[in-house]
Amino acid sequence: MKKNVLIVGAGGVAHVAAHKCAQHNDILGNIGIASRKKEKCDAIIESIKRKGNLKDKSKKLYSCQVDAMDVSALAKLIKDTQSQIVINLGLPM
């Protein structure tokens, strides 16, 4: 069973992590990128596609808007996306 990954944050480190996860999405499953600004997540996804780093194109690569400080919203997103791996790369507040 694939794990499904949710990356929280859309900065430089999240960008690198998303590329690495995409290169191994045949093992990791679907990959979601979530941040307060969805357009930053979309830019990372575009970069992954442009560089051809998505290994298994049948798996989902998607973006979501969420405020990581809103614990209930983040918990709901994790549940809704069935993510078993959450990589929190957002800025500390």
Side-chain angles (χ1 to χ4, degrees):
M1 183 170 121
K2 304 299 184 216
K3 303 292 184 194
N4 293 340
V5 177
L6 179 63
I7 299 169
V8 179
V13 176
H15 184 96
V16 172
H19 275 265
K20 280 305 198 186
C21 288
Q23 291 170 351
H24 301 282
N25 74 334
D26 58 325
I27 297 167
L28 296 173
N30 298 330
I31 299 169
I33 305 170
S35 184
R36 285 178 291 144
K37 297 183 179 180
K38 188 175 181 296
E39 57 272 7
K40 290 180 79 175
C41 302
D42 292 336
I44 293 172
I45 290 172
E46 177 56 37
S47 175
I48 290 168
K49 291 178 178 178
R50 185 177 62 249
K51 293 181 180 181
N53 282 337
L54 192 62
K55 186 171 187 178
D56 183 349
K57 293 179 183 19
S58 71
K59 303 296 177 198
K60 288 175 43 178
L61 178 62
Y62 58 92
S63 63
C64 302
Q65 183 174 2
V66 71
D67 180 352
M69 298 300 288
D70 183 344
V71 176
S72 60
L74 187 56
K76 182 179 181 329
L77 180 61
I78 293 167
K79 183 178 179 181
D80 290 349
T81 60
Q82 299 178 350
S83 297
Q84 294 183 9
I85 300 170
V86 178
I87 305 171
N88 185 353
L89 299 171
L91 295 174
M93 296 284 183

